[in-house]
Amino acid sequence: MSTALRPRTPVTPDDAPPHRHRAFRGWLAVELVAAALLYTVGAARSGWANAFYAAATQAGSLSWHAYLFGALDPAGGITIDKPPAAIWLSAACARLFGLTPTSLLWPQAACGVAAVALLVATVRRQAGDTAGLVAGALLAVTPVVTLLARYDNPDALMVALLVGAAYTVTRAVDRPEGGAGWVAATGVLVGLAFLTKLGQALLVVPALAAVVLVAAPGPWWRRVGRLLGGGAAVLVSAGWWVVLVQLTPAADRPYVGGSTDNTVLGLALGYDGLARVTGSSGRLNSANWGRLLGSGGDQAGWFLPAAMVFLVLGVVLVRGRPRTDPFRAGLVLWGGWLLVVGVVLSGLQGISHSYYSIEIAPATAALCAVVGTRLWAVRESWRGAAVLLGTVTVGSALWACALLLRRGLSWPAVVVPVLALSAAVALGGLLWRGLPGRFGRVVVTALLVSALAGPAAWSVATAQAVHHGSGPTAGPGMPPSAAPADSPLFTPVPTAVSELVAQGAAGYEWAAGVPGRRAADLQLAVGSAVFELGGYKGTDPAPTLAQFQQFVSQHRVHYLVLAGGSGATGTGTTVGAIVDWAVHRFDSRSFGGWTVLDLSAPTARAALAAGRG
């Protein structure tokens, strides 16, 4: 492609004419309001959604000690298996408005809307107003984004912080002096993202660092210095809480849930770190992009094939451009983001959920917007641009149709004819030489509809569904009338159990102890502290048998509740030893598959044995 055919440097927000500023702000307002409605209307239908994090929010709203450490219970027995940044947000909202499904879930929606706004602002600086708005629209309707903006998992906050980091690093390369302050702000946001989901947040660091090293102004030694300053900011903003936990005596804080050694580093490197990447084999797995297009395709894979093609085309478009060119910096940022995150997520051997793919959503949306709008801009001077854009449009529409039909003829499939028609109109308009100007808007509309209709329908279906548990998925789900399901995970706590535990809570630090994840359900039901014995899976060595026996002798815990179907009372674990000790010493009652042991009432045989002792 000759120099004359290369796209010009994008119009930046600072040098755009006033009327374009007004139009941009109007469309941005429409986009953000639409995203907010998609993320909030009917969200409370899912109730506590992920009860595990809801219980931690409840604890943080009742106890500042639990708030600081991210404890699951107000008494501070054990933490969730993540750092507490997401709990800080939701618990603060619960303190202000009371704990309800709305106060729990709307902060997640705010994170989703913030991610859209920040992506618009970032891409706008790299490729202009139109590209920014397109990127925001693509991200807003990505189904996994809709899912987690209506759910109380930490991922929505993590993504908002990471897109914020993309914005600040883009501002850094905009500054003639190199933007040392913006690079430091990038480090702070990455550190806060680490305090949200640990190592997963660090997957975008190579892309952010590459932007500073490749695209920032100034000599190389100055760029390296700013990068080191950003790294120091990451360590400070993430490390203060890690150091706080490490320096606080174990007896004065909750046990770090998910770890085997009661440390945050143990959690970050083990259960929530390398164990997710290598699994039980301890070996790295090769990337399998089919994983993101297969089971995760209808979550965040709607724009992934197009983004990969556009990344290659973008490299062609930036040949010969200056090192500090914003369009070039955008490709470095989003291309590096997509490749690193995609390789890691597609190669996970340990615990993996399809919603992890939310982390690639900003990159796929940005790449499609940045390169797609650039191809549109040069279609008349470079004929190949129109052909390439039309080909990708048709291919993406066919891919969207395949995703819509993957689960059978659910209602979102009604947009398949719309996709086919809009893609045909877009292709015809792009290939029509000398296209009349008045039809340009028709073609643009067709391009947008062919890109947005499929994931938007899937997102609306996601918003209509009820979501519970630890592994939610986007798309058509069970209607509100069908929830909760018969799965033990969703079976509510029997009323007789919650009433009994609630009535006996007074005077005890913990109303009950429950092995594993069902402790959260009971705590939400009774409104009093419940000790999650053994952490989420019931396999953590906390509390020890000796500690639990001490809690019982000191009358700090009233009941031991064994939840039906929890699978968290197995032999060979600390929890198994506690259960085995308790069932032979205390009276028990059964309620619909749940067993309640009154730890204040030993059996006659146990009392007699204790008296002889």
Side-chain angles (χ1 to χ4, degrees), residues 18-289:
H19 69 276
R20 290 192 60 185
H21 279 304
R22 289 192 295 270
F24 169 80
R25 289 168 184 157
W27 282 111
L28 177 61
V30 170
E31 196 168 278
L32 297 182
V33 169
L37 292 174
L38 178 63
Y39 300 159
T40 58
V41 173
R45 288 195 301 263
S46 292
W48 301 124
N50 191 334
F52 182 65
Y53 295 119
T57 296
Q58 179 192 42
S61 69
L62 297 173
S63 164
W64 286 113
H65 182 264
Y67 184 94
L68 176 62
F69 289 104
L72 189 84
D73 60 275
I78 192 168
T79 72
I80 59 173
D81 57 359
K82 302 287 186 299
I87 301 304
W88 292 340
L89 177 64
S90 58
C93 190
R95 283 180 175 270
L96 289 173
F97 303 107
L99 181 65
T100 66
T102 296
S103 67
L104 175 71
L105 297 177
W106 278 30
Q108 318 309 318
C111 290
V113 174
V116 172
L118 288 166
L119 186 66
V120 172
T122 305
V123 173
R124 184 190 185 201
R125 288 188 167 273
Q126 296 165 345
D129 292 353
T130 301
L133 291 171
V134 171
L138 296 178
L139 181 66
V141 301
T142 300
V144 73
V145 176
T146 300
L147 170 71
L148 293 173
R150 301 171 61 90
Y151 207 73
D152 57 327
N153 275 20
D155 302 76
L157 176 61
M158 179 193 70
V159 168
L161 290 168
L162 293 181
V163 178
Y167 173 74
T168 54
V169 82
T170 299
R171 292 301 304 267
V173 301
D174 279 349
R175 304 295 91 184
E177 69 282 3
W182 286 108
V183 176
T186 301
V188 170
L189 290 170
V190 171
L192 291 175
F194 179 86
L195 292 184
T196 305
K197 282 208 77 177
L198 295 174
Q200 186 178 350
L202 302 182
L203 297 181
V204 305
V205 168
L208 298 171
V211 172
V212 175
L213 290 175
V214 172
W220 68 267
W221 54 266
R222 184 175 297 171
R223 282 176 269 147
V224 171
R226 289 182 181 126
L227 186 61
L228 292 175
V234 174
L235 292 176
V236 172
S237 60
W240 72 268
W241 184 81
V242 177
V243 172
L244 172 69
V245 174
Q246 190 66 31
L247 295 182
T248 303
D252 297 330
R253 61 167 173 81
Y255 183 91
V256 179
S259 72
T260 58
D261 58 1
N262 200 14
T263 67
V264 179
L265 291 178
L267 174 65
L269 296 176
Y271 174 75
D272 261 346
L274 293 178
R276 305 263 171 151
V277 178
T278 62
S280 59
S281 68
R283 297 190 303 272
L284 296 174
N285 196 14
S286 58
N288 177 16
W289 287 86

